[in-house]
Amino acid sequence: MNSPTDSIYASPVGEVGAFKFDETVAGVFPDMIQRSVPGYSAIISAIGLLAGRFARDHSVCYDLGCSLGAATLSMRHQIEAEHCRIVAVDNSEAMVTRFQQALQQDQAPIAVEVRCQDILEVNIEHASVVVLNFTLQFIPLEHRLALLQKIYRGLLPGGILILSEKLKFDDERQQELQTQMHHAFKKAHGYSELEISQKRSALENVLVPETFTQHQNRLRQVGFSSAEVWFQYFNFASIIALK
Ligand code: GEK
């Protein structure tokens, strides 16, 4: 995707406000996420492959917190199941509007419904695949359990949840190292120290990471029979949870 360069935090911002998924962010999002999330492209293509394997006939695949729909499009081009459709949800109007426009240029037989809605209010029914690709981390901690319970209940037996998250670590040295390596990744992709530190302030209390153990325990608590990391690049990981 050819996307304008993210320079949102390139100049000093007097007081850095809380990060929002507004029009400015939506306009540079593909560039921002590529240069900020190690392994993002690999995860997007694997989501397509996993959907190809897990999508069932007459079922629904959900992309929760879809942004510009990268995971949806990846799934759309791999699913071969009959009468399977994708429901993509995001509560940022700017993201949803841009995704709907992009979708008009994309041809594939799988129907896609894009909704501007809070994922906490979406009904999950008859799901064979649910994707939370770097979305749960933005949901207030107190709502995470109920959201995962709802997803588990809405999944068909044998269904899959793909949960990608920024992780934190209990061990202090590990936390420090992984954070520094993430910043090194961003620097290597052209972000300045100022951009990295201002973005970090903007995400404080907005993106709240948990440890892998916290995720795994919660996934087991809601009923998933197993939850394992299938991909990790520094403090960014993707988990497969199986019903
Ligand atoms: C991708 N999955 O490219 N309801 C709906 N959407 C929400 C909510 C909510 N309560 N909270 C946050 N969002 C995408 C990338 S980005 C990750 C996901 C990132 C949305 C928010 O508007 C944003 O579009 C998305 O979750 C998170 O595969 O920017 O690090």
Side-chain angles (χ1 to χ4, degrees):
M1 217 183 296
N2 203 355
S3 146
T5 305
D6 166 27
S7 56
I8 296 176
Y9 294 103
S11 323
V13 183
E15 203 168 307
V16 182
F19 189 80
K20 284 196 182 70
F21 291 98
D22 56 14
E23 182 54 38
T24 312
V25 168
V28 297
F29 190 74
D31 176 69
M32 171 188 286
I33 197 145
Q34 283 283 349
R35 294 198 289 135
S36 306
V37 175
Y40 174 76
S41 303
I43 294 172
I44 290 294
S45 46
I47 287 172
L49 297 179
L50 287 163
R53 172 162 177 145
F54 281 85
R56 293 280 158 266
D57 293 353
H58 302 279
S59 75
V60 187
C61 300
Y62 290 87
D63 181 6
L64 304 177
C66 61
S67 300
L68 300 179
T72 291
L73 294 178
S74 179
M75 292 197 282
R76 192 183 197 200
H77 290 276
Q78 293 292 337
I79 294 172
E80 288 177 358
E82 305 269 324
H83 304 287
C84 178
R85 62 194 182 92
I86 303 175
V87 173
V89 186
D90 204 290
N91 66 351
S92 156
E93 225 177 280
M95 292 288 192
V96 166
T97 305
R98 281 172 179 268
F99 180 24
Q100 275 162 340
Q101 285 163 359
L103 204 50
Q104 286 167 12
Q105 316 301 317
D106 184 74
Q107 301 302 321
I110 307 292
V112 177
E113 182 193 338
V114 187
R115 292 190 203 157
C116 188
Q117 197 180 0
D118 191 321
I119 59 169
L120 298 175
E121 277 151 27
V122 174
N123 287 328
I124 310 283
E125 283 164 333
H126 245 81
S128 49
V129 178
V130 176
V131 174
L132 276 171
N133 200 38
F134 301 107
T135 303
L136 190 67
Q137 59 196 17
F138 292 105
I139 301 299
L141 280 172
E142 65 273 21
H143 297 311
R144 293 184 187 181
L145 179 65
L147 173 61
L148 289 168
Q149 277 168 334
K150 173 173 80 175
I151 290 171
Y152 181 79
R153 281 196 294 264
L155 272 167
L156 297 165
I160 185 173
L161 165 66
I162 304 156
L163 171 65
S164 312
E165 289 278 290
K166 181 176 187 181
L167 294 181
K168 73 169 190 187
F169 301 86
D170 285 327
D171 181 83
E172 242 174 70
R173 283 174 65 209
Q174 198 69 243
Q175 175 64 27
E176 187 65 17
L177 171 66
Q178 303 267 2
T179 305
Q180 285 173 3
M181 293 318 295
H182 176 224
H183 292 172
F185 173 92
K186 291 185 76 164
K187 248 181 119 173
H189 286 81
Y191 282 117
S192 67
E193 299 280 2
L194 179 69
E195 285 176 293
I196 294 169
S197 81
Q198 294 194 134
K199 177 79 177 283
R200 193 181 189 178
S201 308
L203 285 172
E204 191 87 33
N205 303 321
V206 175
L207 189 172
V208 181
E210 295 176 278
T211 64
F212 170 65
T213 309
Q214 286 171 313
H215 285 296
Q216 193 178 44
N217 288 344
R218 192 195 289 117
L219 290 163
R220 289 204 183 126
Q221 186 187 342
V222 305
F224 284 97
S225 60
S226 85
E228 297 295 345
V229 170
W230 68 270
F231 181 90
Q232 185 166 348
Y233 189 159
F234 298 139
N235 47 349
F236 290 79
S238 189
I239 297 165
I240 286 176
L242 298 173
K243 179 159 177 174

